[in-house]
Amino acid sequence: MNRREILKIAGAAAVGAMILFNIAHASSTSAKGLPIKVAGYDYDRVRAIMDGLVGTEGAVVDFHVENIYGLNQSAFGSERKYDVTELGLIPFVTKYINNDFRAYTLIPVFISRIFRHRNVFVHVDAGIEKPEDLRGKRVGTTGYGMSANTWIRGFLLDDYGVKADDMQWIETTQSSDKGKLNAGFAKYYFADDFPLVLGPPNVDESELILSGGCDALINAITPRVVLEGNPKVKPLFPDVRAEEQAYYKRHGVFPIMHVVAIRTDLINKHPWLPKAVFEMYSKAKQQTYTNLESTTVLKTTLPWATQEFESTRRIMGKNYWPYGIEANRKELELVMRYVYEQGLVKHRLKFEELFHPSTLELMEP
């Protein structure tokens, strides 16, 4: 065999080896599963996902931490860089109904919830001592249509008889947390004479109330004036904890702020994904419950975390942060009622239409 023939055989062998390597590599990558980019806040209830302790069979999860401003902007804009994302529930509802938004589909993982009695603040000189005193008052807000404000207007009506148009709404042009606000009003569907005006340029909600431009603030964020401890502004409800617990005991409602959504085109290609992602989030939350139960070490920086956990369960039940449709039916029905009554959407819709059909019957163990 001459030198040329030897080189020819060696070259063929190298090509064959490269082909085998590529096949093996592709097989290995395929075996790992579908790569999915997941995004949201770094809550304790998603920590197990972030740390890789909990995942989903058939997928490789890459978790990105981002705030709700960026998450909503990415999903509702053209970028849509995340496959699975946390979104504002009420912003999603309004986009779905008003703009036929279908790029993402919800699953019943209600990742952010908070009672909102803590988000009503009043000027000490405004003569507001109880919710009913808000009638006829000027109320500043960084966004009339924000989720928190929608829930607040809901309980003001249901528990105290104060209607949205009983107050004079002022939507500020700046937010003291430096969050980016809409330029001008969002699209609303209430009467032309509804009492809502745009605030002065370059004035945030804290400056507005201190300058006498409004009597109260109803706001998703805690205003800077409150964080700084200014004595001129106080909470409407002096004992917020007691008020919020009483609300839960009356209604059995834990207000939903954010939800998890999956790209619709990805679901169409991988119809198993909604159920798998639901189970991933549920397992991660269960890991948080386990951590809170532990008395061996404290994994949260609170000395009486275990006692707080036990107290919460006595009031709200063992799984007080439930996922799934049936466990959240009251909250979802209220959301759909509130967005319509408060002029955020042009027509009513049943909440089930927002969620992927494969998730409607999902329940946690």
Side-chain angles (χ1 to χ4, degrees), residues 223-234:
R224 173 175 44 82
V225 66
V226 175
L227 294 175
E228 293 174 352
N230 192 304
K232 286 293 184 180
V233 179
K234 66 177 183 178

Side-chain angles (χ1 to χ4, degrees), residues 17-241:
M18 183 61 70
I19 291 171
L20 289 172
F21 172 81
N22 288 337
I23 291 172
H25 179 71
S27 176
S28 172
T29 302
S30 175
K32 290 179 182 177
L34 174 72
I36 55 173
K37 292 176 70 175
V38 180
Y41 283 92
D42 54 345
Y43 307 112
D44 61 349
R45 48 198 171 274
V46 300
R47 176 59 59 181
I49 300 172
M50 295 173 62
D51 293 344
L53 300 175
V54 170
T56 180
E57 187 176 353
V60 180
V61 175
D62 179 19
F63 196 100
H64 299 253
V65 177
E66 192 159 344
N67 66 34
I68 197 63
Y69 295 110
L71 295 168
N72 282 348
Q73 183 177 15
S74 174
F76 299 138
S78 59
E79 189 176 14
R80 297 168 189 164
K81 58 185 174 180
Y82 300 119
D83 302 310
V84 177
T85 184
E86 177 177 345
L87 292 176
L89 174 58
I90 288 173
F92 183 91
V93 171
T94 61
K95 294 284 186 183
Y96 188 96
I97 296 176
N98 299 334
N99 305 107
D100 295 322
F101 178 77
R102 300 294 187 273
Y104 284 83
T105 301
L106 301 187
I107 64 171
V109 172
F110 306 108
I111 199 66
S112 174
R113 319 175 74 128
I114 187 169
F115 295 102
R116 287 300 187 181
H117 295 69
R118 67 195 72 186
N119 290 96
V120 186
F121 306 94
V122 300
H123 196 285
V124 295
D125 299 327
I128 304 171
E129 299 299 329
K130 58 185 185 299
E132 292 85 352
D133 295 336
L134 287 167
R135 291 191 180 97
K137 299 297 185 179
R138 299 163 301 159
V139 177
T141 181
T142 54
Y144 175 86
M146 287 183 170
S147 301
N149 300 347
T150 307
W151 279 102
I152 292 168
R153 286 189 295 268
F155 76 66
L156 286 175
L157 175 62
D158 292 347
D159 286 353
Y160 306 102
V162 179
K163 298 182 292 184
D165 58 3
D166 286 338
M167 297 166 275
Q168 308 291 319
W169 293 89
I170 304 169
E171 199 167 274
T172 64
T173 55
Q174 299 287 328
S175 175
S176 65
D177 73 342
K178 308 304 179 186
K180 187 177 180 181
L181 303 180
N182 291 327
F185 293 131
K187 176 66 175 175
Y188 298 128
Y189 297 88
F190 37 55
D192 291 340
D193 61 351
F194 185 86
L196 172 65
V197 298
L198 198 62
N202 303 315
V203 174
D204 67 32
E205 79 294 330
S206 293
E207 295 164 334
L208 188 69
I209 194 168
L210 287 179
S211 67
C214 68
D215 306 300
L217 296 175
I218 290 179
N219 218 43
I221 68 158
T222 303
R224 173 175 44 82
V225 66
V226 175
L227 294 175
E228 293 174 352
N230 192 304
K232 286 293 184 180
V233 179
K234 66 177 183 178
L236 173 61
F237 300 99
D239 189 344
V240 166
R241 180 189 177 100

